[in-house]
Amino acid sequence: MFLQLELVLHTRETVWFDFHGAEEWSLERLWTQNVLFDIREWRAGMDGAAECCAEWALDAVWTQKVLAGELALYEFEPSVGMGGYVVARAATMARTWEESSLQGVSIELDFLLKPGWKRTREDGGNHVVTGPAGPEFVSEIWRIAQFITYGDYMSLEKLDEAGHLYRLMSRARKSIGFQVTFRAVDAEQRLAATAE
């Protein structure tokens, strides 16, 4: 009834997917090199859920339970190696955080930041990201947060009334994994920083 899958991300963190109430699974082609593109969750009412059950040739009993909302189908999309599915009641995720993973967050932030945005690190390893003030500032923070936290537990807190300072905290196994402070800067501040 309990199935755990341990994965290592490109940031060298370990992630555990715990499948609760696992009823059926097929995990094929387990090799020494296994690269996954994605893990998809299919539930009742989602477009494509019935088609995915059919593609995996699930037994009619499991298909009926997935489409009735009693169970979910978790599909593993492989790049190399293992692929397959798990039929379970629910799945939860936990992850480790180490110095190497903080470096991974740095790499991800540098990759995600649009022109006009900049990342630095404060003492203690916390990241500071500055970006242009304006109507898209908060939506850009959410875009970045959704990518770097991988759906993990996180909080996003507004630290000032003007909405120019936010703190993102990602938690792993109930402790703070990493923290990113976002600061909005206006055009004059950006010009002064560029001149320096």
Side-chain angles (χ1 to χ4, degrees), residues 9 22 38 53 112 152 195:
L9 300 179
D38 201 359
C53 289
L112 288 168
D152 205 352

Side-chain angles (χ1 to χ4, degrees), residues 34-189:
N34 292 279
V35 179
L36 291 176
F37 276 138
D38 201 359
I39 299 176
R40 292 193 180 96
E41 179 183 61
W42 298 95
R43 291 195 167 273
M46 293 177 65
D47 289 340
E51 291 81 1
C52 189
C53 289
E55 283 176 24
W56 285 106
L58 287 186
D59 187 84
V61 171
W62 306 125
T63 299
Q64 184 179 8
K65 289 188 177 212
V66 168
L67 298 180
E70 297 173 38
L71 297 170
L73 172 63
Y74 299 92
E75 177 184 28
F76 301 93
E77 181 187 350
S79 167
V80 177
M82 185 193 74
Y85 66 86
V86 173
V87 178
R89 186 174 22 86
T92 56
M93 184 186 83
R95 66 193 290 181
T96 61
W97 293 102
E98 299 171 356
E99 184 56 35
S100 61
S101 68
L102 293 177
Q103 181 63 29
V105 172
S106 300
I107 293 167
E108 289 176 344
L109 284 170
D110 290 343
F111 174 76
L112 288 168
L113 295 180
K114 292 182 175 180
W117 290 71
K118 180 180 174 184
R119 179 195 60 82
T120 57
R121 277 181 79 173
E122 292 181 336
D123 291 338
N126 293 325
H127 300 278
V128 178
V129 173
T130 55
E136 295 179 6
F137 180 69
V138 175
S139 63
E140 187 63 13
I141 292 173
W142 276 107
R143 181 187 73 84
I144 293 167
Q146 288 174 340
F147 188 94
I148 65 175
T149 60
Y150 297 95
D152 205 352
Y153 298 106
M154 68 132 179
S155 64
L156 184 62
E157 178 183 10
K158 183 165 80 168
L159 300 177
D160 69 336
E161 286 297 317
H164 289 170
L165 190 62
Y166 286 80
R167 180 174 53 216
L168 168 73
M169 286 192 295
S170 180
R171 294 173 170 81
R173 292 192 176 266
K174 300 184 181 179
S175 63
I176 294 175
F178 65 85
Q179 179 176 304
V180 181
T181 302
F182 292 91
R183 291 190 181 121
V185 293
D186 58 31
E188 290 177 13
Q189 289 173 308

